[in-house]
Amino acid sequence: MHPENKRANILAINSVEALKYLTLKDTEGGLTLEEIDHIFKLCDAIWFHSGDRNQPHVATRGGGCSAGYVDALRVLIYTNICRMFARDLHKKLIQAFPSAVDWAIGSAHAAATFSHSVACLYPGAKHDFTEKSPDGRQLWQRFQIQPHEIVLQIEETITALTTLKLVREGIREGNFSPVNFAPVVGTLVHRSGIYEFESAPIIYLRHYDIETWSQDECYLCKMGSERLEDPKKNWAKLTGKY
């Protein structure tokens, strides 16, 4: 992919097939924001509404509407890219909290692979992810976290704080003793207007400003754009790539 000791030109890559063979050495020094965006676009993992009323838009989990969506799993299925993103986020995390952690825990199941890749960068750390119940709760029921152990919470995308809250509630409810959470939270993609969770800063690799509205205020609904539930399942219809 690259001559000896020369960093790869990520922006020159024009196919997912070529992207699959990038190595950590190809991206020494970390990925730029422009390179992250390029990778997301190559993987068809980011979408923004064009303004055309014939194009559908996204219904948010909270009942509102959105003019954009990021599906990080479309990138994280490539293990090499997942490791690169984890490496770069880990560098930012240890700048904010330069201490060891005993656990890195993600949510079911979107953050499972990414949180594992981050956990691998903390010497001696354990990893697991919560399990989703039929009623939408995030359950912690396989292991017990000891009172002295520090838990780092990792997500792949933060749109609102809903999943963060559910995971933390699940861990606390499923543990016999109080849980000591790290004073930082990590995520690959941040698209929220909130930058703290339980007084801990949210450390992110990429932030996207994506507008959301209540359904009553949504100009896309008013202009006749179809409102699509569950964008991950309707990705082809949303992006027009049937």
Side-chain angles (χ1 to χ4, degrees), residues 37-59:
D37 291 347
H38 185 64
I39 290 170
F40 269 84
K41 289 173 184 175
L42 280 178
C43 294
D44 190 29
I46 189 166
W47 164 87
F48 293 100
H49 197 276
S50 66
D52 183 348
R53 66 183 182 86
N54 295 312
Q55 182 183 31
H57 66 286
V58 172

Side-chain angles (χ1 to χ4, degrees), residues 1 13 15-23 78-81:
M1 175 57 67
I13 295 174
S15 71
V16 173
E17 189 61 30
L19 196 66
K20 287 161 51 177
Y21 296 100
L22 277 176
T23 68
Y78 301 105
T79 56
N80 61 327
I81 304 301

Side-chain angles (χ1 to χ4, degrees), residues 123-135:
K126 292 172 277 190
H127 170 264
D128 199 12
F129 53 94
T130 49
E131 300 170 59
K132 190 176 289 187
S133 69
D135 61 2

Side-chain angles (χ1 to χ4, degrees), residues 48 58 60 65-69 191 208-213 219-220:
F48 293 100
V58 172
T60 66
C65 298
S66 177
Y69 195 82
R191 46 159 302 192
Y208 291 108
D209 287 313
I210 298 177
E211 289 185 280
T212 59
W213 313 268
Y219 79 92
L220 294 170

